[in-house]
Amino acid sequence: MYLSPDDIRQTRLATLDNLLAASQIWVDASGRFADLGLRAGRQTLEEGRGQLEDLIAQEPLRFELPPLQQMSAWRGDSAEWMREAFEIIGDAQQGLLATARDQVATLDTILLRQMDRAALSADATGEAAIDHVKQAIREAEAGFKELTDAAARGTDMVEEQIRQVSEAIAAEPGTESAKAPRSRRTRS
């Protein structure tokens, strides 16, 4: 029982690809968070500048609460930023789950290949034991796939709840929001 140079090379390449994919997921999520923060910061600064100009232009100087419409718009913006932040986190989680699944499949493939090679030189009892181990590996991989699918569904449910909450916060009284929930699945 041995690993051929090609087995080692293929396993290393697949593992490096999966590590690169995981790193890229975090780089993308970080970029999206930076963009979200930049947009929110710019909008907040613009709102503050407008309020300061309005305050300076008043004769006589009075401190008043912003109009209800403006406060409602701020509430809606905040809810949208919250929803978008949770979407970024959910997308990153989905990507990492898919990458983890790919890596487990890579390792299981090489392990099953080694079991096949071992079975070639095993007696009947050893071959039966190897078949049981191979079946256990396949069942464990199927169980891991079910877990990642359940995690993906859980992420979808949390995102849907966040979407509903943010829409409820942002909605004007008496209006309905019509955004459809998005659905995702991890890669097979």
Side-chain angles (χ1 to χ4, degrees), residues 150-164:
R153 287 188 302 272
T155 299
D156 284 344
M157 289 181 352
V158 169
E159 280 190 28
E160 174 60 16
Q161 290 171 349
I162 295 296
R163 183 191 65 77
Q164 290 174 1

Side-chain angles (χ1 to χ4, degrees), residues 19-41:
L19 287 172
L20 178 63
S23 297
Q24 188 62 49
I25 288 164
W26 285 117
V27 168
D28 292 346
S30 297
R32 289 174 65 192
F33 269 123
D35 180 60
L36 176 63
L38 185 60
R39 284 186 287 122

Side-chain angles (χ1 to χ4, degrees), residues 55-122:
L55 187 62
I56 291 171
Q58 286 181 3
E59 272 301 319
L61 184 62
R62 294 182 320 255
F63 291 97
E64 296 175 356
L65 288 175
L68 191 55
Q69 280 181 313
Q70 191 174 24
M71 291 176 76
S72 180
W74 293 342
R75 185 183 66 205
D77 292 341
S78 296
E80 178 59 26
W81 297 334
M82 179 181 70
R83 188 208 53 76
E84 192 171 337
F86 275 94
E87 182 180 304
I88 293 167
I89 293 167
D91 289 347
Q93 180 186 3
Q94 295 298 319
L96 290 175
L97 286 170
T99 301
R101 182 186 288 182
D102 290 348
Q103 184 57 38
V104 167
T106 296
L107 297 174
D108 285 350
T109 299
I110 195 72
L111 184 58
L112 290 171
R113 194 173 298 147
Q114 288 304 102
M115 293 287 173
D116 287 341
R117 288 185 182 138
L120 294 175
S121 61

